[in-house]
Amino acid sequence: MPKVLFLPHKIILPQGGEFKAIEGETILSVALRNNIQLEHACEKSCACSTCHCIIRKGFFSLSGWSEKEDDILDKAWGLESESRLSCQAIIGTVDIEVEIPLYSVNYVTE
């Protein structure tokens, strides 16, 4: 069973945390199941960038990304080469390490 290590985030998860994942579930599903209040304004439909995260370890073990996800990621704050939308990134068999950016572009609350 793969693990997801969420690095510390000063607001959402100050101590960080390591959680078991089920192969085939998304990073966002792991976060929500473990009461990590990761924003997801579009309710997991790949229509916003509020669930943007950066994969610090295990990036290539995740599912591939679509052109739609790539287009939405272009709107994310702090985009990096290992950025993914947590609602679209499906976990494989390898442990991953995830950083939740300090800021997000939340069109719903702006």
Side-chain angles (χ1 to χ4, degrees):
M1 188 173 269
K3 294 181 213 150
V4 178
L5 171 65
F6 288 96
L7 297 173
H9 181 283
K10 72 179 191 177
I11 298 168
I12 297 173
L13 194 64
Q15 302 301 314
E18 184 174 281
F19 305 96
K20 290 181 180 178
I22 299 166
E23 184 180 345
E25 78 178 318
T26 65
I27 294 170
L28 180 59
S29 294
V30 173
L32 296 176
R33 183 166 38 81
N34 290 286
N35 298 315
I36 300 170
Q37 300 304 311
L38 187 57
E39 287 191 70
H40 55 289
C42 71
E43 294 298 321
K44 307 177 190 179
S45 66
C46 193
C48 72
S49 64
T50 59
C51 71
H52 166 235
C53 63
I54 303 162
I55 312 305
R56 295 296 181 201
K57 289 185 183 171
F59 180 80
F60 291 106
S61 68
L62 298 172
S63 62
W65 56 93
S66 67
E67 189 174 322
K68 182 177 180 182
E69 180 182 359
D70 201 37
D71 289 344
I72 297 297
L73 272 171
D74 283 341
K75 300 171 186 168
W77 182 90
L79 187 65
E80 294 190 19
S81 60
E82 275 109 21
S83 288
R84 291 294 305 265
L85 295 179
S86 65
C87 71
Q88 300 299 303
I90 297 172
I91 299 166
T93 58
V94 176
D95 295 349
I96 62 171
E97 190 172 288
V98 178
E99 178 181 343
I100 302 167
L102 187 55
Y103 302 102
S104 74
V105 179
N106 189 341
Y107 296 107
V108 173
T109 60
E110 288 185 337

